[in-house]
Amino acid sequence: MKTMHKTALFLVLAAFGSTVLADVTLQTKDEVQGTWKLQSTKNSLTDKQAIDREDTWVFKDGKVTILHIPREGAYYDQPPVAYDVEDGKLKVAIIGSSRFDLFTVVDKADSSMTLKGKYGGYYYFIKK
C-alpha cells in the first residue's frame, strides 16, 4: 500500500512540475518584435556564473540584427538575418549558411525574455 501512495504522489508531482516548467509557445513573429538588450548568458540553469553580455538584438520586419557585439577590444554589428516562428520556437538563420539556430522561449513578459538555445545555453534579455 505504501508503494501505491508513493507512486501516486510521484505522478502528481511530476504532472505539477511539468506544468510549472512549461515553455512559452510562440504563435507569431510579432511576439518578439522590438529591441532586446542581452543582459547575460548561462550554460545551464544551474550554472552559478552568468556571463555578462553587451549586445542588442533587434527583431523587425522578419529580420533580426545583432548590434554591439564585443570582439577583440572593438564592437561590430551582425548583418540582418531572417527569423521565423516554427512549432512555437524561434528559428534564426545563420549568416552564410542554410542552417539556423533554434531557440525555445522559456519565459516571456512585456519587458523581459529568456531563450534557451538548442544546445542548452540560456539567454536573458530585457526590452529596450
Side-chain angles (χ1 to χ4, degrees), residues 37 53-56 66-70 74-78:
K37 168 81 172 91
R53 297 291 295 263
E54 300 177 40
D55 33 324
T56 299
I66 302 177
L67 307 171
H68 200 71
I69 304 167
Y75 295 92
Y76 74 98
D77 297 340
Q78 173 184 297

Side-chain angles (χ1 to χ4, degrees), residues 45-108:
L45 279 179
T46 58
D47 199 356
K48 294 184 191 299
Q49 188 71 15
I51 300 166
D52 291 333
R53 297 291 295 263
E54 300 177 40
D55 33 324
T56 299
W57 296 27
V58 181
F59 293 91
K60 183 178 178 183
D61 300 327
K63 303 274 185 184
V64 60
T65 305
I66 302 177
L67 307 171
H68 200 71
I69 304 167
R71 185 177 207 176
E72 299 175 4
Y75 295 92
Y76 74 98
D77 297 340
Q78 173 184 297
V81 295
Y83 78 93
D84 206 352
V85 170
E86 188 173 286
D87 297 327
K89 298 182 181 200
L90 185 62
K91 182 178 176 181
V92 178
I94 296 174
I95 293 176
S97 173
S98 60
R99 297 182 309 152
F100 56 88
D101 281 327
L102 196 61
F103 297 93
T104 302
V105 181
V106 176
D107 183 44
K108 170 104 177 40

Side-chain angles (χ1 to χ4, degrees), residues 4-70:
M4 188 184 318
H5 287 297
K6 287 180 184 179
T7 303
L9 179 62
F10 174 76
L11 290 174
V12 168
L13 289 175
F16 178 72
S18 64
T19 303
V20 171
L21 298 176
D23 296 325
V24 176
T25 302
L26 294 177
Q27 303 299 318
T28 68
K29 293 189 250 187
D30 294 336
E31 293 177 71
V32 294
Q33 185 111 320
T35 302
W36 296 89
K37 168 81 172 91
L38 181 56
Q39 298 270 182
S40 63
T41 59
K42 284 184 169 184
N43 291 330
S44 71
L45 279 179
T46 58
D47 199 356
K48 294 184 191 299
Q49 188 71 15
I51 300 166
D52 291 333
R53 297 291 295 263
E54 300 177 40
D55 33 324
T56 299
W57 296 27
V58 181
F59 293 91
K60 183 178 178 183
D61 300 327
K63 303 274 185 184
V64 60
T65 305
I66 302 177
L67 307 171
H68 200 71
I69 304 167

